C-alpha cells in the first residue's frame, strides 16, 4: 500500500512545486524517484522525529504543502506533542504518512507495530485520520490528499493486496464505500482488514450467508450517515480492524449505533488490549490474533449461529 | 556600529516604558513570569524597534523577517512590544489575561498582529524556525528567522536535533538568541542541567556564536549587525541576562518566575522603574 501511495504521490508532486517531502531517515528506495526529480524539496531530517514534525510545521507556516514519512509509531508517538501543538493547533497542511502500521512489520516486534494510532490520532482536534483499504483507495487518497486542507494522518501498511473493487470506486475522503451489498449482516472494515474481510465474505457466501461489505478508509471524520443507514437495514454489524479494541473504528461505530438506538447485534473484531506476545510474520500474527480471513470467517459464523 | 548617546537613550527609554507596562499588566491581571519577561526587554526592543525588517501596516509581506518567541511564557514582554510597535491597538492589548479577552499567557498565532507561531510548550520554536528558514532559502528570500529561546528550554532534546540539522543545511538565515538568565523553573540552571560551556557547545555544533550582555544595547546591536557571524553557518547570540532585570528585589530571584506583585511590591517596583 505504501509503495502504491508514494508512487502516485510522487507522480503528482513532480509538477507541484509547493510539495515538500521529509523523512526521518527511513523509506529505503521508497523515495528514490521523488529525490531524483525534486531534490530541493526533499529533506532527510535524520533520526529526529520531533524535529521533523516541527520543521514540517515551519515549512507549512511558510505556505508549503508538506508530507512527512516515518515508521508510524516513531512518526506520531515519539513526536506526539509536536503533532498536537505545531500541526494540529496551527491546523496546517501537513500530511503524516505512517509506514508499516498494524502488525505489518511482523517480526520486527512491538516497537514497530502500531495498534493504537487510530485512538491517538482521532483524539486530536483538526486531524483527519485515513487508512486506505486497497491499492485503488491508496492511489485515490494520495491524489486527494494534496489539496485537502488541514492535517491528515495516513496509515500505510507494507503489504499491498489486489483491489477488492470490481469497478473503479468513487473514493472521497470522509465518505465510506459500500463494496458489496448483502443482507442482514454488515462487515464494516478499514485499512488492511478490507482484504481479509473480503475473503472471509466469500467463504460466508458458500454457507449461503451474504453480508454487506463496507470500507471505511476515513476513520475521522467518520461517515455517520452511512453507518446510520446500515444500522437500519442490518441485524448484525461487525467492525473489523487491525487496531486495538480500544479507541479504533469499532469504538467510533459503537458510539454512533448507541446514539441512534440500534437494536441489532454489534461486535468488534480487533486486536486485544495487549502488546504482541507472539513472534512471527504477519500472516502468522493475523492467525494468532483472529484477524486472518479464516479466523474472521469463523468468528462471524460462530457469532451468528450462537445468537 | 556606532550609536550616538541620543540614539541609545531613545532605545533605553522605550525599554523603560515597556518594563513599566509589563509591571502594570502583570499587577493588574495577576499574571506570572514577570522575571522571564524583564530579562528579554532590551533584546525585543533592539529587534522590533531597529533591526527586524517588519512593518505592522504590512504584516503579510512575504519577505518580512520572522520572529518566534520560543519561550512563550515571557509573553507579557512580547505583547507589550508588539503593542508599542503598533501591531495591536489599545483595546486588543487590554484584553490580556481576562475572561473573554484577547491574549492568554502563551502566544497564539496571529500573523496580522505579528505573532508568527503559537508557543508555550518549550523546545518547539527552533525547529519551527528551521522549517521557515528552509522555506525561505527555497524561495530565495533574503528574510531572516529569529528565535528567542530560554536557557532552561535547552534541556529539551528537540533543540539539539534542530541545532545539528541547521548546521548540516548551512542555514545562515537562522538566528537563535538564548536568554541566558541562568534561572529555570525549579532552580538555578547550573544546579538543574548545567549548560556550561554554552558558547562552546554551539560552536562545536558548527554554529557562529556571539556572547553578549543582553541588556546592553550597544552589544545587542553590534551582534545583530554582524549576522551572519560565519559564512554558511547558523547564528546564535548567547545573551547573558538577569532574570527580573530592572527591579532590585526581583533580580536573580526564582520567586519572580511565579509571583505577581502585591500592592506594596507594585509601588516599590514602579519607583525603581
Amino acid at each position: 500500500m505504501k509503495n502504491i501511495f508514494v508512487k502516485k504521490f510522487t507522480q503528482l508532486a513532480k509538477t507541484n512545486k509547493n510539495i515538500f517531502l521529509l523523512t526521518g531517515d527511513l523509506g529505503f528506495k521508497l523515495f528514490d524517484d521523488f529525490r531524483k526529480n525534486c531534490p530541493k524539496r526533499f529533506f532527510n531530517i535524520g533520526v529526529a522525529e520531533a524535529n521533523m514534525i516541527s520543521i514540517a510545521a515551519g515549512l507549512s507556516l511558510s505556505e508549503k504543502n508538506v508530507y512527512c514519512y516515518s515508521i508510524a509509531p516513531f512518526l506520531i508517538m515519539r513526536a506526539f506533542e509536536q503533532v498536537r501543538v505545531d500541526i494540529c493547533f496551527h491546523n496546517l497542511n501537513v500530511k503524516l504518512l505512517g509506514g508499516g502500521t498494524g502488525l505489518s512489520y511482523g517480526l520486527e516486534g512491538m516497537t514497530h507495530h502500531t495498534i493504537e494510532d487510530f485512538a491517538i490520532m482521532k483524539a486530536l482536534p483538526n486531524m483527519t485520520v485515513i487508512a486506505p483499504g486497497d491499492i485503488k483507495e491508496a492511489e485515490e487518497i494520495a491524489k486527494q490528499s494534496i489539496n485537502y486542507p488541514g492535517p491528515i494522518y495516513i496509515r500505510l501498511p507494507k503489504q499491498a493486496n489486489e483491489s477488492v473493487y470490481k469497478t473503479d470506486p468513487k473514493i472521497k475522503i470522509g465518505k465510506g464505500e459500500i463494496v458489496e451489498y448483502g443482507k442482514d449482516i454488515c462487515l464494516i472494515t478499514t485499512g488492511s482488514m478490507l482484504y481479509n474481510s473480503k475473503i472471509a465474505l466469500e467463504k460466508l457466501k458458500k454457507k449461503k450467508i451474504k453480508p454487506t461489505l463496507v470500507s471505511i478508509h476515513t476513520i475521522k471524520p467518520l461517515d455517520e450517515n452511512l453507518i446510520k443507514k446500515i444500522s437500519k437495514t442490518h441485524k448484525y454489524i461487525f467492525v473489523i480492524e487491525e487496531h486495538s479494541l480500544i479507541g479504533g473504528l469499532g469504538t467510533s461505530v459503537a458510539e454512533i449505533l448507541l446514539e441512534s438506538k440500534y437494536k441489532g447485534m454489534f461486535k468488534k473484531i480487533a486486536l486485544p488490549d495487549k502488546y504482541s506476545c507472539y513472534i512471527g510474520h504477519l500472516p502468522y500474527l493475523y492467525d494468532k490474533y483472529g484477524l486472518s480471513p479464516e479466523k474472521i470467517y469463523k468468528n462471524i459464523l460462530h457469532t451468528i449461529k450462537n445468537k | 556600529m556606532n550609536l550616538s548617546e541620543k540614539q541609545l537613550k531613545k532605545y533605553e527609554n522605550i525599554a523603560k516604558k515597556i518594563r513599566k507596562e509589563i509591571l502594570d499588566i502583570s499587577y493588574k491581571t495577576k499574571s506570572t513570569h514577570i522575571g522571564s519577561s524583564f530579562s528579554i526587554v532590551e533584546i525585543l526592543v533592539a529587534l522590533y524597534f531597529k533591526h527586524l525588517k517588519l512593518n505592522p501596516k504590512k504584516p503579510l509581506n512575504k519577505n518580512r523577517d520572522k520572529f518566534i518567541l520560543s519561550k512563550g511564557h515571557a509573553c507579557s514582554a512580547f505583547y507589550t512590544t508588539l503593542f508599542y510597535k503598533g501591531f495591536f491597538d489599545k483595546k486588543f492589548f487590554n484584553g490580556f489575561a481576562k475572561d473573554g479577552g484577547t491574549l492568554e499567557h502563551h502566544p497564539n498565532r496571529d500573523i496580522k498582529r505579528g505573532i508568527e507561531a503559537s508557543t508555550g510548550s518549550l523546545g518547539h520554536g527552533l525547529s519551527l524556525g528551521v522549517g521557515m528558514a528552509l522555506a525561505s532559502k527555497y524561495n530565495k528570500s533574503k528574510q531572516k528567522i529569529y528565535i528567542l529561546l530560554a536557557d532552561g528550554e535547552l534541556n529539551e532534546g528537540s533543540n539539539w536535533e534542530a541545532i545539528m540539522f541547521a548546521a548540516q543545511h548551512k542555514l545562515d538565515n537562522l538566528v537563535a538568541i538564548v536568554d541566558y538568565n541562568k534561572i529555570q523553573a525549579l532552580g538555578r540552571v547550573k544546579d538543574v542541567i548545567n549548560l556550561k560551556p554554552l558558547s562552546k557547545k554551539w560552536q562545536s555544533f558548527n554554529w557562529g556564536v556571539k556572547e553578549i550582555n543582553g541588556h546592553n544595547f550597544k552589544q545587542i546591536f553590534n551582534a545583530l549587525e554582524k549576522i551572519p557571524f560565519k559564512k554558511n553557518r547558523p547564528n546564535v547570540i548567547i545573551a547573558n541576562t538577569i532574570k527580573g532585570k530592572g527591579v532590585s528585589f526581583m533580580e536573580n530571584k526564582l520567586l519572580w518566575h511565579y509571583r505577581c506583585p502585591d500592592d506594596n511590591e507594585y509601588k516599590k517596583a514602579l519607583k525603581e522603574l
Side-chain angles (χ1 to χ4, degrees):
Chain A
M1 213 94 80
K2 193 168 70 179
N3 291 330
I4 299 284
F5 183 99
V6 172
K7 198 175 160 193
K8 186 72 188 173
F9 156 77
T10 303
Q11 187 194 332
L12 298 165
K14 280 179 194 172
T15 51
N16 184 334
K17 301 255 191 286
N18 208 36
I19 293 177
F20 279 63
L21 176 64
L22 315 182
T23 171
D25 204 32
L26 286 169
F28 184 60
K29 286 188 176 172
L30 190 60
F31 303 118
D32 286 1
D33 193 23
F34 188 100
R35 263 182 116 148
K36 200 179 129 205
N37 286 285
C38 326
K40 288 190 173 159
R41 294 185 277 129
F42 176 86
F43 288 99
N44 181 359
I45 304 295
V47 192
E49 296 79 12
N51 192 33
M52 173 164 72
I53 297 298
S54 299
I55 288 178
L59 281 162
S60 181
L61 285 166
S62 304
E63 284 93 40
K64 303 301 176 194
N65 192 356
V66 192
Y67 285 70
C68 288
Y69 173 82
S70 189
I71 293 177
F74 315 152
L75 179 76
I76 58 167
M77 296 181 202
R78 167 66 73 96
F80 178 74
E81 205 242 0
Q82 276 77 8
V83 173
R84 174 180 182 260
V85 177
D86 298 338
I87 309 293
C88 288
F89 183 44
H90 284 127
N91 198 12
L92 297 176
N93 282 330
V94 175
K95 315 297 186 270
L96 305 174
L97 309 179
T101 68
L103 303 171
S104 71
Y105 273 112
L107 273 171
E108 307 303 324
M110 176 272 167
T111 54
H112 288 55
H113 295 167
T114 320
I115 63 166
E116 321 93 326
D117 51 344
F118 292 160
I120 293 168
M121 290 291 101
K122 255 170 52 180
L124 291 168
N126 293 331
M127 181 62 93
T128 293
V129 181
I130 299 181
D134 76 351
I135 50 177
K136 282 188 182 168
E137 289 188 359
E139 274 198 341
E140 195 51 38
I141 282 155
K143 205 166 108 190
Q144 289 180 26
S145 69
I146 290 174
N147 292 318
Y148 189 86
I152 316 182
Y153 166 65
I154 305 173
R155 195 191 227 234
L156 297 170
K158 264 172 83 178
Q159 72 276 20
N161 300 309
E162 58 184 277
S163 181
V164 299
Y165 295 100
K166 286 181 190 125
T167 52
D168 278 347
K170 287 194 185 96
I171 310 287
K172 192 165 182 271
I173 292 177
K175 292 281 168 209
E177 203 60 39
I178 296 179
V179 182
E180 218 174 302
Y181 283 94
K183 214 183 140 197
D184 293 338
I185 302 162
C186 183
L187 315 185
I188 299 177
T189 72
T190 186
S192 51
M193 285 301 113
L194 175 60
Y195 181 75
N196 287 15
S197 304
K198 167 73 176 165
I199 301 173
L201 181 135
E202 293 304 326
K203 284 173 184 278
L204 288 165
K205 277 186 192 165
K206 284 178 189 156
K207 296 271 177 193
K208 306 237 179 316
I209 299 165
K210 198 173 175 298
T212 297
L213 180 63
V214 171
S215 172
I216 299 288
H217 46 72
T218 309
I219 305 279
K220 184 190 163 194
L222 188 56
D223 189 348
E224 284 194 30
N225 288 336
L226 181 66
I227 309 288
K228 282 180 186 162
K229 215 171 98 186
I230 287 162
S231 73
K232 284 177 189 150
T233 48
H234 293 80
K235 286 187 274 186
Y236 301 87
I237 292 176
F238 294 88
V239 176
I240 306 144
E241 59 186 323
E242 194 178 333
H243 184 276
S244 162
L245 280 164
I246 294 175
L249 175 63
T251 305
S252 295
V253 171
E255 285 165 2
I256 294 170
L257 294 180
L258 202 59
E259 281 174 7
S260 55
K261 300 187 171 67
Y262 179 61
K263 295 280 189 299
M265 209 222 76
F266 169 80
K267 188 174 187 182
K268 292 192 260 187
I269 301 178
L271 295 166
D273 177 28
K274 278 179 186 164
Y275 290 113
S276 177
C277 55
Y278 299 111
I279 292 166
H281 295 90
L282 183 63
Y284 175 83
L285 295 177
Y286 277 165
D287 182 65
K288 282 289 177 195
Y289 284 114
L291 291 180
S292 63
E294 180 68 19
K295 288 277 171 76
I296 293 170
Y297 157 75
K298 281 186 177 158
N299 191 336
I300 293 169
L301 198 64
H302 183 259
T303 308
I304 295 166
K305 284 195 171 162
N306 288 296
K307 175 80 164 57
Chain B
M1 195 179 68
N2 290 317
L3 277 178
S4 68
E5 287 307 312
K6 201 179 152 196
Q7 281 169 315
L8 272 179
K9 197 84 200 152
K10 182 183 117 184
Y11 297 113
E12 278 161 10
N13 281 336
I14 299 171
K16 204 178 262 181
K17 268 192 205 165
I18 286 179
R19 268 208 183 82
K20 269 188 192 164
E21 189 77 55
I22 295 169
L23 176 73
D24 230 46
I25 59 171
S26 303
Y27 168 68
K28 282 180 188 154
T29 62
K30 299 202 184 323
S31 294
T32 57
H33 292 130
I34 192 166
S36 317
S37 284
F38 276 180
S39 71
I40 61 169
V41 171
E42 281 77 14
I43 296 166
L44 289 176
V45 169
L47 286 168
Y48 277 87
F49 290 87
K50 181 158 173 58
H51 189 74
L52 294 182
K53 291 185 181 67
L54 263 182
N55 181 353
K57 290 192 181 104
K58 292 178 186 163
L60 303 180
N61 181 345
K62 278 206 179 321
N63 290 313
R64 68 186 182 275
D65 283 342
K66 291 183 176 177
F67 172 83
I68 297 174
L69 182 72
S70 193
K71 47 171 284 179
H73 54 279
C75 64
S76 58
F78 186 37
Y79 297 152
T80 306
T81 305
L82 290 171
F83 168 55
Y84 276 73
K85 180 70 185 172
F87 279 99
F88 302 164
D89 58 26
K90 183 82 183 160
K91 195 179 160 206
F92 189 83
F93 182 63
N94 283 343
F96 170 68
K98 284 179 184 151
D99 291 343
T102 51
L103 293 159
E104 52 189 18
H105 278 170
H106 294 96
N108 289 331
R109 186 192 185 210
D110 186 345
I111 305 180
K112 287 184 182 163
R113 293 194 175 90
I115 303 174
E116 298 284 352
S118 304
T119 52
S121 171
L122 299 172
H124 290 238
L126 191 58
S127 299
L128 287 172
V130 167
M132 290 176 177
L134 282 176
S136 186
K137 289 260 176 197
Y138 180 79
N139 294 340
K140 296 193 167 55
S141 166
K142 285 193 174 143
Q143 72 187 159
K144 289 196 179 70
I145 316 294
Y146 297 81
I147 319 293
L148 183 51
L149 300 153
D151 45 11
E153 179 176 13
L154 292 176
N155 298 171
E156 292 281 3
S158 55
N159 286 305
W160 300 94
E161 295 179 2
I163 288 167
M164 288 189 280
F165 182 90
Q168 175 72 26
H169 290 269
K170 302 184 171 65
L171 298 179
D172 53 7
N173 55 347
L174 184 69
V175 185
I177 303 169
V178 180
D179 173 30
Y180 198 11
N181 63 32
K182 297 160 196 79
I183 295 178
Q184 58 186 97
L186 282 188
R188 301 218 169 252
V189 166
K190 69 176 167 56
D191 299 326
V192 182
I193 299 285
N194 194 358
L195 294 173
K196 277 184 183 167
L198 188 54
S199 287
K200 280 188 184 160
K201 280 194 174 77
W202 289 79
Q203 266 160 15
S204 69
F205 279 79
N206 291 325
W207 281 56
V209 185
K210 283 251 179 298
E211 188 159 351
I212 60 162
N213 173 344
H215 299 301
N216 181 313
F217 277 111
K218 265 189 191 168
Q219 290 190 32
I220 303 170
F221 285 128
N222 206 19
L224 289 172
E225 291 297 320
K226 288 200 171 119
I227 292 164
F229 301 145
K230 283 196 170 174
K231 206 182 163 200
N232 291 330
R233 289 195 184 183
N235 313 279
V236 61
I237 297 172
I238 310 289
N240 288 295
T241 55
I242 296 165
K243 197 166 188 128
K245 170 78 178 174
V247 176
S248 59
F249 62 88
M250 292 183 185
E251 285 188 0
N252 260 319
K253 297 273 188 328
L254 174 64
L255 179 70
W256 292 95
H257 193 81
Y258 303 100
R259 189 172 169 80
C260 45
D262 63 20
D263 292 353
N264 278 335
E265 286 161 341
Y266 172 68
K267 281 176 200 155
K268 226 172 119 191
L270 204 58
K271 263 186 202 165
E272 288 196 28
L273 292 172

